[in-house]
Amino acid sequence: MQLSERIKNIKPSATMKTLSLAKSLRASGVDVINMGIGEPDFQTPNSIQEAAIESIQNGKASFYTAASGLEPLKVAIKNHYQAAFNLEYEVENIAVTTGAKMALYATFQALLNPGDEVLLPNPYWVSYSEQIKLAGGVPILVPVPDSGKLAVDNFEQHLTAKTKLILLNSPQNPTGEIYHKDDLIKLGNWSVDHDLMIISDEIYGELVYNGNQFTSMGNLGSRIKENTVIINGVSKTYSMTGWRIGIVLGDPQLIKSITAFVSHATGNPATVSQYASVAAFTQGAKAAELMRQEFETRLNLIYPKLIEIPGFDLPVKPHGAFYLFPNIEGALKLTGLSSEAFVSGLLTDAHVAVVDGKAFGVPGHIRLSYALSVDQLEEAMKRIKSFVETNSKRSNIGGKLSNETN
Ligand SMILES: Cc1ncc(COP(=O)(O)O)c(C=O)c1O
């Protein structure tokens, strides 16, 4: 098989790999708690499902729509942005895509020339780097040691003549942190000054907890707004990962280019999902709020238990999304395990699936999703704690034995 150089350069998604490993263990009868997932565990709210069924029954779902989405869906998105974020976008600023993944993919295809560099705060979501590479771009990782704080200096150090874009994600996957408004304003102004566009992935923007505030890059004045492309979707807010609807908000010229691109790549996003999404944006607020509250309860329950696990360090309680990204270097030291062995031991011995921080650019961490029931979360924390304790004892005994034999 003569595969292209382009595809040889791409790593399969680590989160998808974890998901399939956990699923196959579960299929063989093992009671796996899957904290590797990146999706809400709720059924899509009824009113959204009903709108989809109606569009099938009245025959509307049978046909293609405009490649960039149905007009009524764009109007619903426009109205939602106005109500939820106090942001004005017109229909010509909006493209609807097959998931936020395609929203990002099409945006990179539309904006990047070969060799263009994209500044990407590290840790980062797994698909960004691969999507940038698929568009011929070069991901440049910008270390952000305190993941809640963006400093212009960090970016300045990586600025070259080839820098084209900055990619931001807040609330973040994998850390669950949100960026502060002041930091975003400074970085936004810096990027305008250097003629760099900002891609702001705001897919977790409505999953924010405990009174913390999310700031959209669209809300920082017209200078920054005009320089920003916002990515969003229905997957996380409305528990609609399977429906595959994403959104790009940006300059009409970019939207036209993205439309041309997707018209050849995917065609329109599934028509039935578009009708479902109209209902999400017009009637889904109450159900979305209940799900948000449930995530908040889970975060507040799991965080204190997680930081009790020996060798787990997470000084700041996350603010949004549904992930925890603790530093586990202490636990690796205690157990004498490598991070690969720790993650695979957690799955095979403790039956808890998590994702190695390496996949997000930061080894020595793991990502745990709390999109699980309270019972499962409590059980998972017990299992992880006992895994660390058991393996710590073993490695201590091993240490003693080897000392004695020496
Ligand atoms: C940060 C981030 N952006 C985008 C996506 C893609 O979402 P979608 O299901 O709409 O493709 C995900 C999904 O995990 C994500 O975590």
Side-chain angles (χ1 to χ4, degrees):
M1 181 63 68
Q2 300 286 317
L3 293 173
S4 69
E5 291 309 314
R6 186 187 326 107
I7 210 70
K8 282 189 208 155
N9 204 9
I10 297 304
K11 286 184 275 180
S13 159
T15 49
M16 294 286 183
K17 208 167 112 195
T18 309
L19 192 60
S20 77
L21 269 177
K23 275 190 177 159
S24 63
L25 259 185
R26 200 177 273 164
S28 65
V30 179
D31 160 35
V32 175
I33 302 179
N34 189 357
M35 303 190 84
I37 41 171
E39 62 181 347
D41 54 318
F42 310 107
Q43 285 288 318
T44 302
N46 281 341
S47 60
I48 301 175
Q49 293 193 23
E50 278 155 18
I53 293 166
E54 196 189 318
S55 77
I56 294 171
Q57 288 176 339
N58 66 20
K60 287 186 183 164
S62 304
F63 303 106
Y64 292 137
T65 69
S68 68
L70 285 161
E71 178 90 5
L73 177 52
K74 292 184 185 175
V75 172
I77 293 166
K78 167 184 154 67
N79 292 340
H80 179 74
Y81 259 78
Q82 157 87 128
F85 303 111
N86 194 22
L87 268 173
E88 296 292 340
Y89 283 102
E90 297 308 322
V91 162
E92 58 269 23
N93 296 116
I94 303 173
V96 183
T97 57
T98 303
K101 266 192 181 165
M102 181 47 77
L104 284 158
Y105 187 84
T107 303
F108 293 134
Q109 292 290 329
L111 292 176
L112 290 175
N113 284 315
D116 282 348
E117 295 177 355
V118 182
L119 301 181
L120 184 54
N122 193 21
Y124 61 94
W125 178 52
V126 290
S127 291
Y128 294 144
S129 54
E130 307 314 291
Q131 291 205 355
I132 292 165
K133 287 193 262 169
L134 281 167
V138 184
I140 303 293
L141 299 184
V142 177
V144 181
D146 179 349
S147 53
K149 293 205 180 92
L150 282 178
V152 168
D153 278 358
N154 296 344
F155 290 82
E156 185 92 53
Q157 283 168 23
H158 293 85
L159 182 71
T160 72
K162 290 186 175 159
T163 312
K164 176 90 185 265
L165 303 175
I166 297 184
L167 177 49
L168 298 178
N169 169 220
S170 176
Q172 298 165 44
N173 180 1
T175 66
E177 292 209 37
I178 52 184
Y179 295 132
H180 291 279
K181 188 173 179 180
D182 295 348
D183 292 346
L184 290 174
I185 292 175
K186 282 184 202 141
L187 190 64
N189 283 326
W190 178 81
S191 66
V192 178
D193 294 344
H194 291 84
D195 210 12
L196 310 176
M197 286 206 73
I198 297 171
I199 314 291
S200 182
D201 180 348
E202 304 186 352
I203 195 151
Y204 296 102
E206 289 174 73
L207 290 173
V208 174
Y209 315 116
N210 299 317
N212 285 293
Q213 289 291 318
F214 154 74
T215 304
S216 168
M217 286 307 285
N219 274 125
L220 304 178
S222 58
R223 193 168 175 255
I224 296 176
K225 185 181 174 205
E226 279 157 23
N227 211 50
T228 298
V229 183
I230 292 180
I231 304 293
N232 208 329
V234 297
S235 285
K236 318 289 178 175
T237 313
Y238 301 103
S239 200
M240 291 178 72
T241 47
W243 300 78
R244 314 305 306 125
I245 294 290
I247 303 166
V248 186
L249 298 171
D251 182 89
Q253 205 189 336
L254 172 69
I255 297 299
K256 271 194 196 139
S257 312
I258 286 176
T259 305
F261 175 78
V262 296
S263 75
H264 297 296
T266 57
N268 64 270
T271 305
V272 62
S273 303
Q274 294 191 60
Y275 281 105
S277 300
V278 173
F281 287 114
T282 54
Q283 304 160 37
K286 208 166 156 196
E289 172 56 14
L290 289 176
M291 293 189 278
R292 190 203 64 77
Q293 285 172 12
E294 179 60 29
F295 281 129
E296 184 173 87
T297 304
R298 294 170 181 185
L299 169 65
N300 293 341
L301 172 112
I302 191 180
Y303 176 73
K305 293 189 193 297
L306 182 96
I307 56 176
E308 266 175 20
I309 298 172
F312 275 46
D313 186 28
L314 187 62
V316 178
K317 185 175 173 180
H319 307 120
F322 37 71
Y323 309 107
L324 300 153
F325 196 62
N327 183 323
I328 59 155
E329 276 161 355
L332 298 180
K333 245 187 220 143
L334 281 173
T335 57
L337 295 171
S338 67
S339 59
E340 287 90 350
F342 190 91
V343 169
S344 76
L346 266 187
L347 183 58
T348 53
D349 302 352
H351 303 151
V352 179
V354 300
V355 187
D356 194 331
K358 242 190 229 165
F360 305 95
V362 188
H365 292 66
I366 53 174
R367 190 194 75 173
L368 308 100
S369 155
Y370 52 89
L372 295 168
S373 72
V374 163
D375 287 351
Q376 282 178 307
L377 290 174
E378 283 184 335
E379 174 61 22
M381 290 302 103
K382 277 189 209 149
R383 289 187 193 179
I384 299 175
K385 192 166 182 217
S386 131
F387 175 82
V388 175
E389 285 168 353
T390 311
N391 283 281
S392 306
K393 279 181 215 141
R394 266 199 215 131
S395 72
N396 288 342
I397 293 167
K400 263 189 208 146
L401 284 178
S402 57
N403 284 344
E404 278 163 16
T405 47
N406 276 345

